[in-house]
Amino acid sequence: MAVDYAVIVVYLAAMLAMGWWGMRRAKSKSEFLVAGRRLGPWMYSGTMAAIVLGGASTIGGVGLGYQYGLSGAWMVFTIGLGLLALSVFFSARIARLKVYTVSEMLDLRYGGRAGIISGVVMWVYTLMLAVTSTIAYASIFDVLFGLDRTVAIILGGSVVVAYSTLGGMWSITLTDMVQFVVKTIGVLLLLLPIAVVKAGGFAEMKAQLPTGYFDPLGIGGETIFTYVLIYTFGMLIGQDIWQRVFTARSDRTARWGGTVAGTYCLAYAVAGAVIGTAAKVLYPKLPSSDDAFATIVKEELPMGVRGLVLAAALAAVMSTSSGALIASATVANNDIWARLRGRVAAAGGGGDGVRDGGERDEVKGNRAFILIMGVVVIVVAIQLNSVLEGLTVAYDLLVGGLLVPILGGLLWKRGTVYGALAAVGAGGLTVLALMWRHGILANEPVYYGLLASLAAYVVVSLTTKPTDPAVLDTWRERLAGEANQSYPQADEAVSAPS
């Protein structure tokens, strides 16, 4: 295991070094939070694929393959479908808005007053996403070093908090690119073919397993429908995803780079399911399907390769964890704390920073929030045992509370701020009430929460005064990119005094 340990140590050291390098580039709010909105197609594709393919997609995807066979690919597959839909239909318009958060978009579209409530819902989502990703360090470091769960969470979480705090989105982008390469090599190019060969090939796998393991719909139609609601739609509106869209240097980059990343996710989904199916042949009686990834890596891979594949799993967890962490900190600072202190620029601003000492102050403020949120995430992760429950709470609240007002704002001009507020309230409260009644993992909360949100949005919007035409005109200009053309130095513009 000495070689495997060396691979992991070098990998962790590289993550910290990139955090230090990113700190030298993050001199303004725009650089720190959205990498200066300058990522080209290759870096954008890599970082977008990295953020959506985390520990749940890697360890969980293999586990679903172990439990259900090829149909276990559906969870990650719906993530890829959501990313494709976002990239093709919405990403260009989102990138043109030149905002930092989803709540700023809602304020811009509806004329203010929707931001703080939506910010609280989005903050809960991003925080729980970061927590569930951080919990996954425990299983990886247990396989590697036999570490205690709490120590493993603190170790893995501290590395992510360190490089995220140092360089913000620049550090995260650089580490994501490394993580993308490591995942591609470790999971797709090494673990996938080795697992299939060790299991005797596809012919032997079919001979050893029930036919249901090779049924594309074997996991069940209701489960697939739930995955679409939670993950496909969740990809359309999550702050962690939008914040990556904001890093694109052009509409074309956002559209085509995201399409490449979404297609990569589809391939990753199938690979995870095949690896899990092979693990079922090799180890048919594991106590938990979530043990499939670690078991096949530990028992079947040669020294050195094992370390690289475990580094790939670590990369998957870190990419999601760091993306959710900076998203949580951005929402907490810009959408909640700043609004409570009355420090928000009207209608979403439009500037990406302030000059001179103000820029440094904004970077320091955002850096402090990442550090604070990082400590909160580690503490909550130590206390929470169920990754699945935490992830379900996050996505049910996100989709049930925010999907309708966000997509409604993009697609329906008659939607009003009161309709948006009613949708967030009705959807969020319905989700929480039905979780209390039916259990966190039930399907009813997201089904009925989404219906309640839609009904409230339509009814209240139609019965309240339409949005001010001046607000809609500004919104349309920003969506078309016309307002930004008036400010060619958007990233250097002066924002409202803080």
Side-chain angles (χ1 to χ4, degrees), residues 13-246:
M15 296 300 99
L16 292 174
M18 289 185 182
W20 183 263
W21 189 89
M23 182 178 67
R24 301 175 63 184
R25 297 202 60 170
K27 300 299 184 182
S28 69
K29 179 180 180 181
S30 174
E31 296 281 354
F32 191 81
L33 294 181
V34 291
R37 308 188 196 274
R38 291 189 295 176
L39 296 191
W42 292 112
M43 290 193 74
Y44 179 86
S45 297
T47 191
M48 184 61 85
I51 179 66
V52 300
L53 295 174
S57 300
T58 303
I59 299 172
V62 171
L64 287 172
Y66 183 88
Q67 187 173 1
Y68 298 104
L70 297 186
S71 67
W74 274 107
M75 183 187 77
V76 183
F77 202 84
T78 55
I79 290 173
L81 292 178
L83 187 52
L84 285 171
L86 174 70
S87 302
V88 173
F89 299 112
F90 299 109
S91 63
R93 285 186 286 176
I94 291 170
R96 291 183 203 129
L97 293 175
K98 300 296 183 186
V99 294
Y100 291 106
T101 68
V102 174
S103 295
E104 286 180 10
M105 167 265 171
L106 292 174
D107 274 353
L108 183 66
R109 164 61 180 83
Y110 294 110
R113 293 174 291 180
I116 193 165
I117 296 177
S118 62
V120 170
V121 175
M122 188 64 76
W123 177 73
V124 172
Y125 157 72
T126 54
L127 183 73
M128 292 307 297
L129 187 60
V131 166
T132 55
S133 299
T134 302
I135 291 173
Y137 296 128
S139 62
I140 297 172
F141 282 110
D142 177 57
V143 174
L144 282 171
F145 309 116
L147 289 179
D148 174 75
R149 178 181 183 275
T150 299
V151 175
I153 289 173
I154 292 173
L155 175 60
S158 297
V159 172
V160 170
V161 171
Y163 72 70
S164 300
T165 302
L166 286 172
M169 187 59 81
W170 267 123
S171 294
I172 292 172
T173 297
L174 294 170
T175 55
D176 276 355
M177 287 305 299
V178 175
Q179 290 159 358
F180 172 74
V181 172
V182 171
K183 279 191 288 191
T184 301
I185 296 173
V187 175
L188 297 184
L189 302 184
L190 291 177
L191 182 58
L192 174 61
I194 291 174
V196 172
V197 170
K198 292 284 187 178
F202 284 103
E204 183 65 19
M205 290 163 63
K206 286 185 177 181
Q208 292 287 336
L209 297 173
T211 56
Y213 266 74
F214 301 92
D215 180 359
L217 303 179
I219 199 170
E222 183 178 357
T223 298
I224 295 171
F225 179 68
T226 303
Y227 285 159
V228 170
L229 278 185
I230 293 177
Y231 297 115
T232 300
F233 287 119
M235 290 296 106
L236 298 179
I237 58 175
Q239 170 67 25
D240 52 323
I241 310 302
W242 278 38
Q243 200 155 342
R244 300 309 173 99
V245 175
F246 299 151

